[in-house]
Amino acid sequence: MKLPPLSNMATSITALRPVLLVQLRSALLQRATPSLAVTPVRWKVTKSQKLRTPHVAKEKEKWVKAKAVRLEKEKDKSKEHPNWMNRKPADDVWIRGRYPPQCHALEECVQRHKEYAHPSMFDNMDGLVYADLELNMSTKKKTKFMRNISSTLMLPHTFEENVVKKCAVFCKTSEDQQKARDLGALYVGDADLIKQIVDGIIDKSEFDFALATPDIMVEMLVLRGILKDMFPRKSRGNMSSSVEEMMTLFQQGVTYTSTKHSDAVGKLQVPLGTLNMSTEQLEENFSAYMESIKKQKAPKLGQFVSQAVLIAPPSPERFHVELEKYMADTSKQKSAMADEDEEEEDESEARN
């Protein structure tokens, strides 16, 4: 084979040099920068070919909470067994979750708290003893429940509470007004005092109790919507012809008011006295509370106080009290206080 002369080959390469440089440059640019001429293609998906949404696992907290609720229900089923409340631990040490709360006589509960308050332990012999009460607020109707209860009583054995109690006394005669001032009433008056409260000059939050004599009750009706639960009523003791008795009751007595834990369960905490009082005195005060609380619910609706626990802060101990002898109903008739409360509830329902 005869090759062309070298001079001719050099001439042809020189002629093609610009073309080769352009091709080389374009190839380098394509490698250095990504191609922008990319056309996205979207495939048509039919209904049968559509993908399902990915499965999202449930949160662990929700699962743990659901499990805890289920275990709690299973635990409560065991407590519904008729023999549950009759279970007694065989030893003096037991697992609380496997037995119902062990109830003791009030004297034993007080004695245990006194041992904890001894100077060698908490050194709290001047501390107060409280009774935590659980109330059954159900009625004869499944969808109707009692309202919160409130009352004032004079305990058989008084003690210092270190609480200033402010009273507003409504009476007409100058003699009753002077008695109220001498006994330490914060506000005393008749129609003028009523007008000041209606006009907002005196707010009901400035006094704790509203006391009135029967001769001014007609004028007091305009305050019923303002005072609400504080409005004087004979059953509560804040309406009487004796100003001195009312002032003594509400300044030296003890006022208690329940709160709603749920629709059918109410909570109430009342002070019994100090730990340096005798056990007999504390028991008499406890009996006085029970007698006052029982009057606020009809006996045929069942036992009002379902549980009583004795506490004495700062001690963390809680002792359940046996209630059989305190909640025994001797009368089958409704009390006057329970009748009046039901009448008020019916009136409020009729207005609504």
Side-chain angles (χ1 to χ4, degrees), residues 52-64:
R52 295 182 179 179
T53 56
H55 173 70
V56 180
K58 292 183 179 180
E59 296 181 10
K60 188 175 181 181
E61 293 181 0
K62 292 183 179 179
W63 182 83
V64 172

Side-chain angles (χ1 to χ4, degrees), residues 172-332:
K172 283 187 175 182
T173 64
S174 57
E175 183 180 354
D176 288 339
Q177 292 178 4
Q178 188 59 41
K179 279 184 182 179
R181 292 190 184 94
D182 295 340
L183 292 170
L186 182 62
Y187 295 108
V188 180
D190 47 10
D192 295 336
L193 181 58
I194 295 173
K195 188 176 185 304
Q196 288 179 354
I197 296 176
V198 172
D199 295 341
I201 300 173
I202 298 176
D203 192 76
K204 72 170 187 177
S205 61
E206 297 181 25
F207 52 89
D208 302 316
F209 306 106
L211 315 180
T213 54
D215 56 357
I216 201 174
M217 288 309 297
V218 176
E219 292 86 343
M220 286 280 294
L221 291 177
V222 295
L223 297 179
R224 189 161 195 166
I226 299 174
L227 298 179
K228 297 182 179 178
D229 292 339
M230 294 173 62
F231 190 79
R233 289 169 52 190
K234 188 176 181 181
S235 59
R236 291 182 180 173
N238 54 353
M239 185 189 73
S240 174
S241 57
S242 176
V243 175
E244 187 175 355
E245 289 181 2
M246 288 192 296
M247 289 293 294
T248 303
L249 174 63
F250 284 89
Q251 285 189 330
Q252 299 180 14
V254 179
T255 301
Y256 61 83
T257 303
S258 68
T259 57
K260 281 292 188 74
H261 182 69
S262 65
D263 288 337
V265 179
K267 295 290 185 179
L268 177 62
Q269 186 179 91
V270 292
L272 301 183
T274 57
L275 286 169
N276 53 20
M277 295 171 62
S278 66
T279 305
E280 292 76 14
Q281 291 176 334
L282 294 174
E283 185 180 11
E284 290 178 9
N285 285 351
F286 184 78
S287 299
Y289 278 120
M290 293 296 104
E291 290 298 324
S292 175
I293 293 171
K294 282 195 301 183
K295 294 178 182 177
Q296 306 203 40
K297 185 176 182 179
K300 69 178 184 180
L301 296 178
Q303 183 171 313
F304 195 12
V305 181
S306 57
Q307 180 178 284
V309 181
L310 227 61
I311 62 173
S315 172
E317 296 298 326
R318 300 170 60 87
F319 301 113
H320 291 256
V321 181
E322 295 176 349
L323 294 174
E324 286 75 11
K325 70 174 183 178
Y326 301 105
M327 297 305 297
D329 293 319
T330 56
S331 173
K332 295 183 180 180

Side-chain angles (χ1 to χ4, degrees), residues 11-201:
T11 303
S12 62
I13 292 173
T14 304
L16 293 173
R17 185 179 179 182
V19 178
L20 294 174
L21 290 175
V22 170
Q23 291 180 354
L24 180 62
R25 185 180 178 184
S26 62
L28 293 174
L29 288 175
Q30 286 180 359
R31 289 186 179 182
T33 58
S35 178
L36 300 178
V38 178
T39 305
V41 178
R42 184 174 180 180
W43 298 96
K44 184 178 179 181
V45 181
T46 61
K47 290 184 179 180
S48 60
Q49 294 176 334
K50 283 185 179 179
L51 298 177
R52 295 182 179 179
T53 56
H55 173 70
V56 180
K58 292 183 179 180
E59 296 181 10
K60 188 175 181 181
E61 293 181 0
K62 292 183 179 179
W63 182 83
V64 172
K65 185 177 180 181
K67 184 178 180 181
V69 171
R70 178 172 55 82
L71 292 175
E72 189 66 26
K73 287 181 179 179
E74 292 177 357
K75 184 179 178 182
D76 291 342
K77 285 181 180 178
S78 64
K79 294 184 179 180
E80 292 176 0
H81 195 274
N83 295 329
W84 166 256
M85 295 305 296
N86 297 328
R87 294 185 65 182
K88 299 289 183 182
D91 301 321
D92 55 355
V93 178
W94 63 89
I95 300 175
R96 289 186 177 180
R98 297 185 180 180
Y99 295 92
Q102 301 301 301
C103 298
H104 310 280
L106 183 70
E107 298 86 347
E108 185 178 351
C109 298
V110 172
Q111 186 59 36
R112 291 187 178 186
H113 277 303
K114 287 187 176 183
E115 292 175 1
Y116 278 103
H118 192 269
S120 61
M121 296 188 70
F122 285 106
D123 192 13
N124 187 39
M125 293 303 294
D126 294 332
L128 288 172
V129 185
Y130 297 90
D132 270 348
L133 307 178
E134 185 177 290
L135 308 178
N136 178 16
M137 310 297 282
S138 60
T139 62
K140 56 187 177 182
K141 296 182 180 179
K142 292 184 179 180
T143 57
K144 184 178 179 181
F145 303 95
M146 292 179 60
R147 298 181 301 175
N148 285 324
I149 62 171
S150 179
S151 184
T152 303
L153 75 156
M154 183 66 69
L155 294 175
H157 306 282
T158 59
F159 53 92
E160 291 292 333
E161 289 186 272
N162 298 323
V163 178
V164 179
K165 301 174 182 179
K166 297 171 286 187
C167 299
V169 181
F170 301 86
C171 49
K172 283 187 175 182
T173 64
S174 57
E175 183 180 354
D176 288 339
Q177 292 178 4
Q178 188 59 41
K179 279 184 182 179
R181 292 190 184 94
D182 295 340
L183 292 170
L186 182 62
Y187 295 108
V188 180
D190 47 10
D192 295 336
L193 181 58
I194 295 173
K195 188 176 185 304
Q196 288 179 354
I197 296 176
V198 172
D199 295 341
I201 300 173

